[in-house]
Amino acid sequence: MRDVIIVVLLYFGLLSWNYQPYMDEINGVREQYLQTVASTAISEAKIKGYFTSSDLSNIQSNVAEHLGFSVGEVTINGTTTPMTRGEELDLSISVPSHINLFSLSPSTNQVTLKATASADSEAILT
């Protein structure tokens, strides 16, 4: 009986040790996606000089749809006031990671994936 308990405990330890690289890979790909979305959005927004609220909500819903989150879990912060040429625009996108092993509580296995982008405005506002 003792041998069975030892094997079971070693099995779960070995499983978690093998599972961690896959968790890291999935989080890395998600973070790359967030960075790509942020870079694309900032390059489009710098032409007009700001993000509209509909731009931010579109980005939020697209990220939620592509990564499998609810819209409320995706946090978007961007420059919504018009900026003239040379002033800085900012955008940040963050999502929680739901990848966990053996259904651990989120407080013990919580990672927030975040991407930021900034660029100078190219808008000439009158």
Side-chain angles (χ1 to χ4, degrees):
M1 183 65 172
R2 179 180 156 206
D3 293 338
V4 172
I5 293 172
I6 291 172
V7 168
V8 168
L9 291 175
L10 288 175
Y11 174 74
F12 286 118
L14 186 63
L15 182 64
S16 66
W17 179 69
N18 285 331
Y19 187 67
Q20 186 64 42
Y22 296 113
M23 290 171 44
D24 293 341
E25 182 70 25
I26 291 170
N27 282 334
V29 170
R30 285 180 174 173
E31 207 162 20
Q32 286 177 349
Y33 173 76
L34 291 177
Q35 191 61 50
T36 302
V37 168
S39 298
T40 303
I42 201 81
S43 67
E44 293 173 359
K46 70 182 181 179
I47 296 169
K48 62 183 172 185
Y50 63 100
F51 289 99
T52 63
S53 59
S54 65
D55 291 339
L56 295 176
S57 64
N58 286 340
I59 294 168
Q60 186 178 25
S61 62
N62 287 338
V63 167
E65 179 184 335
H66 283 88
L67 294 182
F69 292 102
S70 68
V71 175
E73 293 176 310
V74 179
T75 306
I76 303 279
N77 293 317
T79 305
T80 56
T81 57
M83 299 292 184
T84 58
R85 187 178 190 102
E87 293 179 320
E88 190 172 15
L89 296 172
D90 294 311
L91 177 68
S92 78
I93 306 169
S94 60
V95 295
S97 176
H98 289 298
I99 300 173
N100 54 30
L101 185 61
F102 306 125
S103 299
L104 296 173
S105 65
S107 62
T108 60
N109 195 17
Q110 184 70 28
V111 176
T112 301
L113 305 175
K114 186 173 184 179
T116 60
S118 61
D120 290 340
S121 174
E122 296 177 359
I124 300 175
L125 303 173
T126 56

